[in-house]
């Protein structure tokens, strides 16, 4: 016996018509009639009085109706439960991350949260060319989590207001450039801001990345003569150009701490030019699988323990 025979039987008993039941089941009437006949042969009794119009259940059919309903419900429930357990066991937890955070923050953080890899298979979403693109992955439900920088001066942050989040730390974006032969900045921005001399060669994020929005807010309050000579939304790309001596850029400290220590990069201005951004983990309002929920709970617990220390 097959489950579809029982489903066919229930459909015909509800429709009182092989034609309507066949349409409901999306099969031909001949195929439906054949399967009902196979069920009757398996049971050894007729289930429908085909001489009546509209067709109706026989006494044996009426007796079998309750049992068939319970069997279909139980088998469907069992199938769904097994599928759900399989899906949970093999669930993929999706993260959308800003490029720099995926390199400097995420590896150590996820290893601290899930050192034994018990919360499922982690997949980073494809890198987006803009900050709004990363936000959209969460807004559209295409990722479980969004790991991002956060700053009140970035208007796009308002789109994330409805989503729960955890503050994981802070990141400082520093104005840096290559040093001259004396170890001093090639392109000091303090002097340019004060004297209004020739504009500083500027290595820009463009207009669409997180730090592009944050820098717009900074420059609105602290005007600075800049001449954009290069644009790249990826911090690591700006870093390479900055080390080569092409100009000044604002780079996350986690990306350049070793370079500053080695002297290949130096501060181009004082700390008043720094941008202090938070590091946040946002999540969907409703968890898509148990692994994502457990990972979030573990991350929350770990954050609280660090905050209390």
């Amino acid at each position: 016996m097959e489950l579809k025979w029982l489903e066919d039987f229930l459909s015909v008993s509800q429709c009182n018509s092989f034609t309507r039941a066949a349409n409901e089941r999306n099969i031909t009437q001949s195929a439906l009639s054949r399967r009902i006949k196979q069920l009757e042969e398996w049971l050894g009794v007729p289930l429908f009085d085909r001489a009546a119009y509209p067709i109706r259940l026989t006494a044996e059919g009426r007796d079998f109706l309750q049992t068939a309903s319970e069997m279909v419900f139980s088998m469907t429930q069992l199938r769904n439960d097994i599928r759900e357990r399989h899906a949970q066991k093999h669930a993929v937890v999706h993260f959308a991350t800003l490029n720099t955070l995926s390199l400097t923050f995420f590896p150590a953080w996820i290893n601290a949260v899930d050192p034994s890899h018990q919360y499922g298979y982690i997949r980073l979403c494809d890198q987006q060319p803009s900050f709004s693109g990363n936000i959209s992955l969460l807004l559209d439900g295409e990722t479980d989590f969004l790991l991002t920088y956060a700053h009140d001066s970035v208007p796009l942050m308002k789109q994330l207001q409805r989503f729960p989040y955890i503050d994981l730390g802070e990141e400082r974006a520093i104005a840096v450039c290559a040093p001259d032969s004396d170890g001093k900045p090639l392109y000091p921005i303090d002097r340019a801001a004060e004297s209004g001399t020739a504009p500083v060669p500027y290595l820009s994020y463009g207009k669409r990345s997180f730090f592009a929005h944050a820098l717009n807010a900074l420059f609105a309050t602290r005007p600075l003569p800049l001449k954009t000579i290069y644009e790249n939304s990826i911090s690591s790309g700006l870093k390479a150009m900055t080390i080569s001596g092409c100009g000044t850029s604002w780079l996350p400290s986690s990306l350049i701490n070793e370079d500053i220590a080695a002297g290949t990069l130096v501060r181009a201005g004082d700390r008043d030019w720094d941008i202090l951004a938070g590091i946040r983990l946002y999540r969907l309002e409703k968890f898509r699988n148990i692994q994502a929920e457990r990972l979030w709970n573990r991350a929350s617990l770990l954050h609280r323990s660090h905050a209390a220390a």
Side-chain angles (χ1 to χ4, degrees):
M1 190 195 59
E2 299 182 33
L3 180 62
K4 62 186 176 183
W5 296 355
L6 299 178
E7 293 171 335
D8 292 340
F9 166 70
L10 294 176
S11 181
V12 175
S13 67
Q14 291 169 358
C15 295
N16 294 319
S17 166
F18 278 89
T19 302
R20 290 197 298 272
N23 290 333
E24 182 182 87
R25 298 285 291 152
N26 197 29
I27 59 174
T28 64
Q29 184 175 337
S30 61
L32 178 65
S33 297
R34 184 173 60 252
R35 287 177 359 193
I36 292 294
K37 190 65 176 177
Q38 289 173 316
L39 176 60
E40 290 175 322
E41 291 174 354
W42 186 82
L43 289 169
V45 296
L47 297 172
F48 293 98
D49 181 358
R50 290 168 174 79
Y53 183 81
I55 63 169
R56 58 175 178 255
L57 290 167
T58 63
E60 294 83 1
R62 290 192 296 273
D63 291 340
F64 183 60
L65 182 60
Q66 181 66 31
T67 301
S69 298
E70 292 174 354
M71 290 174 66
V72 169
F73 176 81
S74 297
M75 292 299 292
T76 301
Q77 190 70 30
L78 176 61
R79 178 183 61 191
N80 291 341
D81 289 345
I82 291 174
R83 285 179 174 177
E84 183 176 353
R85 287 198 296 270
H86 177 79
Q88 298 293 1
K89 182 179 179 181
H90 299 279
V92 177
V93 180
H94 290 82
F95 278 82
T97 71
L98 303 192
N99 180 265
T100 299
L101 289 173
S102 72
L103 298 173
T104 63
F105 183 87
F106 183 80
W109 175 80
I110 194 64
N111 192 51
V113 171
D114 188 16
S116 58
H117 313 294
Q118 61 180 313
Y119 300 124
Y121 171 36
I122 303 298
R123 177 179 294 160
L124 294 190
C125 299
D126 292 341
Q127 290 293 330
Q128 299 298 302
S130 66
F131 183 50
S132 62
N134 281 284
I135 290 177
S136 293
L137 291 175
L138 191 66
L139 294 176
D140 297 339
E142 296 181 25
T143 183
D144 299 292
F145 300 104
L146 169 63
L147 180 64
T148 179
Y149 293 121
H151 197 281
D152 290 340
S153 68
V154 178
L156 288 173
M157 296 300 303
K158 294 179 181 179
Q159 297 184 26
L160 296 171
Q161 286 179 338
R162 77 173 193 262
F163 295 100
Y165 68 86
I166 307 171
D167 282 313
L168 300 179
E170 292 180 331
E171 177 81 278
R172 188 176 294 272
I174 304 170
V176 292
C177 64
D180 61 17
S181 57
D182 296 324
K184 296 180 180 180
L186 274 174
Y187 309 108
I189 59 176
D190 290 323
R191 187 167 59 198
E194 293 171 2
S195 63
T197 55
V200 175
Y202 177 46
L203 309 178
S204 170
Y205 283 98
K207 299 179 179 179
R208 303 172 66 191
S209 71
F210 172 85
F211 282 117
H213 293 285
L215 284 165
N216 285 339
L218 175 65
F219 297 150
T221 58
R222 300 194 69 187
L224 180 65
L226 298 171
K227 179 181 179 181
T228 301
I229 62 168
Y230 178 75
E231 180 179 310
N232 192 330
S233 62
I234 306 299
S235 297
S236 56
L238 292 178
K239 172 184 170 180
M241 291 292 288
T242 307
I243 290 175
S244 71
C246 293
T248 293
S249 65
W250 271 255
L251 297 175
S253 58
S254 60
L255 191 65
I256 58 172
N257 282 333
E258 293 182 3
D259 300 280
I260 290 179
T264 53
L265 286 176
V266 295
R267 278 184 170 272
D270 61 35
R271 294 176 67 89
D272 290 339
W273 290 102
D274 293 357
I275 296 174
L276 185 61
I279 299 174
R280 284 183 184 171
L281 181 70
Y282 286 89
R283 69 164 174 86
L284 288 174
E285 295 169 288
K286 183 178 181 180
F287 294 107
R288 297 192 296 183
N289 56 60
I290 192 65
Q291 272 79 358
E293 182 176 5
R294 289 172 176 170
L295 193 150
W296 173 265
N297 291 337
R298 170 62 179 165
S300 300
L301 179 63
L302 194 64
H303 170 71
R304 289 196 297 269
S305 65
H306 285 174

